[in-house]
Amino acid sequence: MKAPVSSRWWLLFGIIIVIALIGTGGLVWFTMGQPGPTLAACPPACPYTFPQVPSVLAPESVEAEQIASLFWLIVGIAGVIFVLVEGVLIWTVLKFKNRPAEQALQIHGNTKLEIAWTAAPAVILVGVMGLTFRTMVDVRAPATSRSITVNAVAQQFWWAFRYPEYTTPDGSRAIVTASELVVPVNTVIEIKLESKDVEHGFWVPELFGKMDAIPGYLNQMKFTPTTVGTYYAGQCTQYCGTQHAQMRFAVKVVTQAEFDAWVASQLEPAVEPAAGSLAEAGKAAFLDARNGCIACHVIDGAGGVGLVGPNLTNVAERQFLAGGIIANTPDNLARWLASPQTVKPGNKMVLPTKLDQPTIDALVAYLETLN
Amino acid sequence: MATVTRPLTAEKSTLAVIIDWLTTVDHKKIGIMYLVLNMFFFVLAGVMALLIRTQLAWSNLKLIDPDRYNELFTMHGTSMIFLVIVPIWAGFANYILPLQIGARDMAFPRLNAFSFWLLFFGGLVMYSSYLFDSVPNGGWTAYPPLTGPQYTPGPNIDFWILGLHLVGLSSLFGAINFIVTTLNLRAPGMKLLEVPMFTWSMFVTSAMVLFSTPMLTVAITLLLADRHFGTHFFQASQGGDPLLWQNLFWFYSHPAVYIMILPGMGAISEVLQTFSRKPLFGYRFIAFSSVFIAVLGFLVWAHHMFQVGSSLAVNAFFAGMTMIIAVPTGIKIFNWIATMYGGALRLTSAMLFAIGFVTMFIIGGLSGVMLGSVPVNWQVHQTYFVVAHIHYVLYGGSVFAIFASFYYWIPKMTGWMMDEKLGKLHFWVMLFGFNLAFFPQHIVGLLGMPRRYYTYAAGQGWEIWNLMSTLGAFLIATSVLIFIINFFVSARAAKSAGANPWEAPTIEWATSSPPPEYNFAKIPTVTRMNPLWEEHPDAGH
């Protein structure tokens, strides 16, 4: 019979753990100091920091609330089972360890017990299934009669949001934003998901579970936000290539009045830059084919044909740039225009030629007027 | 002329030994080659895991750029599944299964060698991608259209496909071999439903491999055709269907989860029985629950696809099937506890890993039921919650069972004992490290951290949990190092094992350690389960 692990071995166990912890901490500290390609062009404050810690357990919509309740119920059931089964297991090990061999009972089984521990989990699981099916039906029932529809269009590595119900009076142009979804509170938000290239996933933990955007399919989901005023972090959840990690979007939930004002301002035509201003030079630079902007972007009322990159109409009203990863400030915009591949390596914005500083300044001045 | 007499026991030259191993069709040598190869890939995949964990230890770290990171998690997952856990059970079974049923070799020894070499070259093809700087980068699930010709034009995915073709064939030939061997080569008197539980599990697992692996081969062949022969099976822009891939892929890859865990369940059933000195409780219930799992395993694949927008009815069906699988799994867990109940437990390293398997698998099973609940799945799938779940099942489950098997059967394979103190140290460091690494991932997943992100922004409350995970990962690596040191220290000490060091009941322990080439001088007649115990006058029945 082997003796149990002696205290000397427990000491060694402790020493190994301490050394490994210190070693790993050192490695991480060393790594944090290393220059690297990611966001190296930004000062420390540049990457967008979240206004709140995201969590699926802090639901802010009717549907997410229902899912969170279901989660807690199942966790409760699982917790009881966990404590009971692990408890019996550990008690058995401690009770019967190191006994003399001849004391071992020679039994092969017990059919009644087998039936009992087949039936008991089956009953519990039927209960969990019932709860699951109920929630599956509940989250599809509309929480209120007010609703709006938004088309979410996923592409490597950013999101476009189009509001087909909100158009200019002549119907020629609907509201389109990039990386930013503005929705009114206590309204059913119907999201229609499309993908222009590979599979992506749409997820805002506080608002609803995730759904994939699959090329060739039009998936639908809905949620009913209940709290005003916060940016929720939306993110891509289906691996989509190099910058999957930085394909984010912000969801801003506003009151109905704020939403109406936002709609009105989005539909106003862009203000013409004053003659002779830097902004006017910027507009010319935007429309200059040599700079490449119009190949991928469009500004309604100004020009451009491209549908590859984000629609830049009213770009100055947006809070974030580059797929929701940096704040939309003139400095960040200039940094982005100077070298998009440094700020977000692998993104699809490729400049035909490096822009010179005066052009960048003019472009920034122009884009900042678009609100 | 003088006659030169060569002694019969002459030492072979090194070259002769190498050629002997390279050309062997002996199931024991092939088994050892499998185990060595799989452990090599295990260490490689572990190093990749450490790189991944270091990059994620804190927000905005800059150790690895995004493309390299994507290659790392692709190769880590692919290696652990296709080059470590699935084939390592073929390695153990190669060595142990014929011995357990009293056979002299596998039914098809040359096919057996072919299986090994297919695996060897499959791994080689996949890793040769590093020489061409064109490493597979589509994730281990390789969803098109991302992996199609338009979005991954380089040969990255081709290395993955061609490697998997070879590995899949290896797995398939192995399965045929194990099935035929179990059906036809059992010792006289041994009934099919009285074979040792590890053999039974390999038998059921092989049936699953037989029916599921062709589907993987079909899927990757269609992808290859899309990439090179102008077909559009998965390319939506030309009328193909990306979801076809998901259905085909998961039709293989969900059964694959059971292909990875059932043999481990068989192995720990034997370890628990031996070290409780008590016959396995409810042998038939454990045996048939495996069959039940194997059948249900083919009916749950779409629970990987709850977020693709299927109808309520489809999702409800797959949710129901997924939860039902917890019933046969529960049967096993209760029977294992009942096996220990009333026994005389010896807490050897092998036994500790077997108990560790049961404790960790309970956690993985419960989080599996949560994931089966569709609305909860919508929230936690594709996050670190699911990463935690799969590691509790495949690491806390399968890998713990692999180490239990090593400690249990190494004396049989080598003739010497592993050091028990180092073995126990290995166990405790690994158990602690494993839980430190993976339990916090449940939490960070609920905090909204998606998987397959090479970096994350500050201010989301994710750093501390990630740091814990990273510390845990390095502890796991430390514990594996202890295992490797233990192996070489024990080999040098060469403490003789004898035929049956554990006083185990099954007949692989009736022959010498290591067994002679022909395994048994005389094939035993086996009329009862646990023959080495039941012939013993003290042993009850």
Side-chain angles (χ1 to χ4, degrees):
Chain A
M1 194 61 55
K2 291 260 185 290
V5 183
S6 70
S7 56
R8 210 152 42 89
W9 286 89
W10 281 109
L11 184 67
L12 184 55
F13 172 64
I15 291 172
I16 285 174
I17 287 182
V18 169
I19 290 173
L21 296 188
I22 293 172
T24 317
L27 188 64
V28 171
W29 177 79
F30 173 77
T31 311
M32 286 169 86
Q34 296 304 302
T38 318
L39 297 173
C42 291
C46 167
Y48 158 49
T49 47
F50 283 68
Q52 68 172 51
V53 173
S55 169
V56 303
L57 302 177
E60 310 250 22
S61 82
V62 177
E63 294 78 7
E65 178 79 52
Q66 287 164 338
I67 298 177
S69 317
L70 176 68
F71 175 80
W72 283 119
L73 258 174
I74 298 179
V75 167
I77 296 167
V80 171
I81 296 172
F82 172 77
V83 170
L84 284 179
V85 179
E86 298 277 14
V88 171
L89 171 64
I90 291 165
W91 176 83
T92 305
V93 172
L94 295 178
K95 166 112 176 145
F96 297 104
K97 69 172 187 181
N98 304 330
R99 297 207 309 168
E102 53 279 8
Q103 285 185 16
L105 304 172
Q106 296 303 310
I107 38 174
H108 287 265
N110 180 324
T111 308
K112 278 183 189 157
L113 265 177
E114 299 284 352
I115 293 170
W117 63 48
T118 305
V123 169
I124 295 171
L125 286 163
V126 167
V128 174
M129 260 184 248
L131 294 169
T132 296
F133 296 160
R134 197 188 64 187
T135 308
M136 283 169 74
V137 172
D138 284 354
V139 294
R140 292 159 78 101
T144 142
S145 57
R146 289 200 328 205
S147 79
I148 67 166
T149 301
V150 183
N151 291 77
V153 185
Q155 52 235 287
Q156 290 177 327
F157 300 97
W158 61 282
W159 295 85
F161 297 102
R162 188 168 170 275
Y163 295 70
E165 294 154 357
Y166 296 93
T167 58
T168 47
D170 61 355
S172 65
R173 166 166 86 83
I175 296 177
V176 179
T177 73
S179 310
E180 200 154 312
L181 177 62
V182 179
V183 292
V185 74
N186 294 328
T187 304
V188 178
I189 314 298
E190 298 262 8
I191 302 283
K192 297 199 170 174
L193 274 169
E194 322 162 22
S195 167
K196 280 168 91 171
D197 41 41
V198 303
E199 291 179 29
H200 300 275
F202 177 100
W203 190 37
V204 188
E206 290 90 341
L207 297 181
F208 197 63
K210 54 195 72 62
M211 184 166 275
D212 285 354
I214 303 165
Y217 286 81
L218 184 69
N219 273 339
Q220 301 192 41
M221 60 186 286
K222 69 165 189 67
F223 53 84
T224 315
T226 50
T227 315
V228 162
T230 333
Y231 279 105
Y232 300 115
Q235 38 200 357
C236 180
T237 50
Q238 183 64 270
Y239 172 60
C240 62
T242 307
Q243 279 295 358
H244 170 52
Q246 310 227 39
M247 180 172 162
R248 298 212 304 241
F249 58 97
V251 181
K252 190 179 188 189
V253 180
V254 298
T255 63
Q256 186 64 45
E258 286 171 320
F259 182 71
D260 293 339
W262 178 79
V263 167
S265 102
Q266 287 287 316
L267 291 175
E268 271 170 24
V271 183
E272 266 313 296
S277 68
L278 189 58
E280 191 191 38
K283 182 174 178 183
F286 175 79
L287 295 174
D288 185 340
R290 284 171 300 177
N291 290 331
C293 308
I294 51 170
C296 297
H297 296 282
V298 62
I299 294 174
D300 288 310
V305 290
L307 298 168
V308 178
N311 181 316
L312 295 177
T313 314
N314 293 314
V315 65
E317 283 190 19
R318 298 177 194 157
Q319 302 294 316
F320 306 104
L321 292 174
I325 65 163
I326 48 176
N328 185 6
T329 63
D331 281 353
N332 278 345
L333 187 55
R335 213 171 268 126
W336 173 255
L337 290 173
S339 180
Q341 292 299 328
T342 314
V343 177
K344 187 171 167 179
N347 85 79
K348 301 287 170 193
M349 179 156 166
V350 181
L351 297 167
T353 112
K354 200 167 164 49
L355 300 174
D356 56 21
Q357 198 57 44
T359 312
I360 292 174
D361 291 341
L363 279 170
V364 170
Y366 172 55
L367 294 172
E368 288 300 318
T369 66
L370 299 175
N371 57 24
Chain B
M1 277 174 78
T3 333
V4 181
T5 2
R6 265 173 47 187
L8 284 169
T9 54
E11 285 285 315
K12 286 185 190 162
S13 70
T14 319
L15 183 68
V17 171
I18 290 172
I19 288 176
D20 177 42
W21 279 86
L22 291 181
T23 59
T24 187
V25 293
D26 174 29
H27 74 100
K28 297 183 289 297
K29 284 182 176 160
I30 293 172
I32 286 172
M33 289 199 292
Y34 260 104
L35 295 175
V36 171
L37 182 70
N38 298 144
M39 286 311 280
F40 171 74
F41 284 124
F42 177 71
V43 171
L44 275 187
V47 171
M48 293 180 187
L50 293 182
L51 289 171
I52 290 170
R53 280 315 325 163
T54 309
Q55 166 72 7
L56 293 181
W58 205 256
S59 53
N60 292 317
L61 291 192
K62 292 147 191 155
L63 181 68
I64 302 165
D65 70 33
D67 286 323
R68 288 280 167 224
Y69 184 88
N70 295 343
E71 294 167 4
L72 278 175
F73 74 67
T74 301
M75 288 304 279
H76 169 76
T78 305
S79 304
M80 280 306 291
I81 288 166
F82 295 109
L83 301 177
V84 182
I85 303 180
V86 171
I88 204 168
W89 293 117
F92 279 112
N94 250 301
Y95 201 104
I96 298 299
L97 188 143
L99 288 169
Q100 283 197 323
I101 59 171
R104 296 214 188 273
D105 203 316
M106 296 284 285
F108 308 118
R110 292 168 70 90
L111 184 68
N112 198 24
F114 188 48
S115 296
F116 169 78
W117 290 107
L118 280 175
L119 176 73
F120 179 87
F121 285 106
L124 207 63
V125 165
M126 226 178 275
Y127 273 86
S128 65
S129 60
Y130 275 99
L131 299 178
F132 302 93
D133 194 16
S134 199
V135 186
N137 55 2
W140 84 275
T141 51
Y143 280 8
L146 179 62
T147 51
Q150 198 178 348
Y151 299 100
T152 311
N156 311 48
I157 305 295
D158 301 322
F159 284 108
W160 186 82
I161 292 174
L162 296 174
L164 281 195
H165 269 134
L166 299 181
V167 172
L169 276 179
S170 156
S171 191
L172 200 60
F173 292 155
I176 293 168
N177 219 339
F178 292 127
I179 291 173
V180 176
T181 306
T182 312
L183 286 178
N184 293 308
L185 298 187
R186 297 192 307 281
M190 185 184 272
K191 300 194 185 83
L192 184 58
L193 256 175
E194 288 183 359
V195 295
M197 191 50 76
F198 177 67
T199 295
W200 176 260
S201 303
M202 274 314 292
F203 179 64
V204 176
T205 303
S206 300
M208 295 190 80
V209 170
L210 203 58
F211 289 106
S212 63
T213 310
M215 203 57 95
L216 176 70
T217 309
V218 166
I220 60 181
T221 306
L222 297 185
L223 185 57
L224 192 70
D226 269 14
R227 293 176 54 80
H228 293 288
F229 312 129
T231 59
H232 313 297
F233 292 105
F234 309 122
Q235 315 308 323
S237 50
Q238 287 110 343
D241 185 354
L243 285 189
L244 174 64
W245 168 270
Q246 293 197 24
N247 280 305
L248 293 174
F249 182 81
W250 290 113
F251 193 85
Y252 165 75
S253 292
H254 196 82
V257 175
Y258 301 106
I259 290 168
M260 288 184 271
I261 197 80
L262 280 178
M265 290 172 156
I268 69 120
S269 295
E270 297 203 16
V271 171
L272 289 174
Q273 143 174 298
T274 295
F275 295 109
S276 303
R277 292 176 192 267
K278 203 170 151 266
L280 194 58
F281 194 92
Y283 174 96
R284 294 205 164 201
F285 287 92
I286 295 187
F288 280 109
S289 66
S290 297
V291 178
F292 195 23
I293 288 176
V295 174
L296 281 177
F298 282 94
L299 296 173
V300 297
W301 79 90
H303 72 206
H304 298 269
M305 300 163 56
F306 281 150
Q307 72 284 8
V308 302
S310 310
S311 70
L312 195 66
V314 168
N315 282 347
F317 172 80
F318 283 101
M321 286 295 147
T322 303
M323 290 187 190
I324 290 173
I325 272 201
V327 174
T329 314
I331 292 175
K332 284 183 192 293
I333 287 169
F334 296 129
N335 277 298
W336 288 327
I337 297 176
T339 301
M340 288 190 281
Y341 185 90
L345 310 189
R346 289 172 290 167
L347 299 182
T348 58
S349 309
M351 182 66 162
L352 287 175
F353 272 103
I355 297 170
F357 169 99
V358 182
T359 36
M360 294 302 104
F361 192 76
I362 292 170
I363 300 177
L366 289 171
S367 61
V369 171
M370 294 178 200
L371 280 159
S373 176
V374 181
V376 175
N377 181 290
W378 286 335
Q379 280 288 25
V380 296
H381 191 42
Q382 304 285 12
T383 71
Y384 268 86
F385 189 93
V386 95
V387 176
H389 163 73
I390 165 247
H391 284 91
Y392 268 88
V393 175
L394 291 184
Y395 202 100
S398 300
V399 174
F400 272 53
I402 287 167
F403 282 115
S405 304
F406 271 124
Y407 283 105
Y408 187 57
W409 280 311
I410 277 178
K412 176 51 61 183
M413 296 175 183
T414 62
W416 40 259
M417 304 296 288
M418 289 286 276
D419 185 277
E420 275 297 309
K421 282 182 173 165
L422 283 171
K424 286 171 184 169
L425 187 69
H426 168 200
F427 170 75
W428 288 108
V429 175
M430 184 171 275
L431 184 76
F432 182 83
F434 170 75
N435 283 288
L436 184 65
F438 293 108
F439 199 83
Q441 294 187 354
H442 290 112
I443 298 166
V444 83
L446 290 170
L447 291 180
M449 180 166 173
R451 62 176 171 171
R452 299 175 165 182
Y453 273 21
Y454 77 95
T455 189
Y456 53 94
Q460 300 175 93
W462 295 348
E463 284 94 341
I464 186 69
W465 308 108
N466 275 293
L467 186 62
M468 285 164 78
S469 265
T470 304
L471 299 177
F474 278 87
L475 278 176
I476 294 174
T478 312
S479 74
V480 173
L481 204 61
I482 296 173
F483 171 76
I484 294 168
I485 291 169
N486 187 356
F487 184 86
F488 289 105
V489 166
S490 304
R492 239 175 104 174
K495 190 175 142 208
S496 173
N500 190 0
W502 310 122
E503 297 166 36
T506 45
I507 61 170
E508 78 266 32
W509 303 100
T511 184
S512 61
S513 306
E517 271 182 39
Y518 43 84
N519 291 352
F520 299 93
K522 177 177 178 300
I523 298 293
T525 302
V526 182
T527 52
R528 298 166 136 184
M529 270 199 245
N530 300 335
L532 304 193
W533 277 354
E534 312 235 345
E535 285 157 14
H536 199 265
D538 297 341
H541 293 274

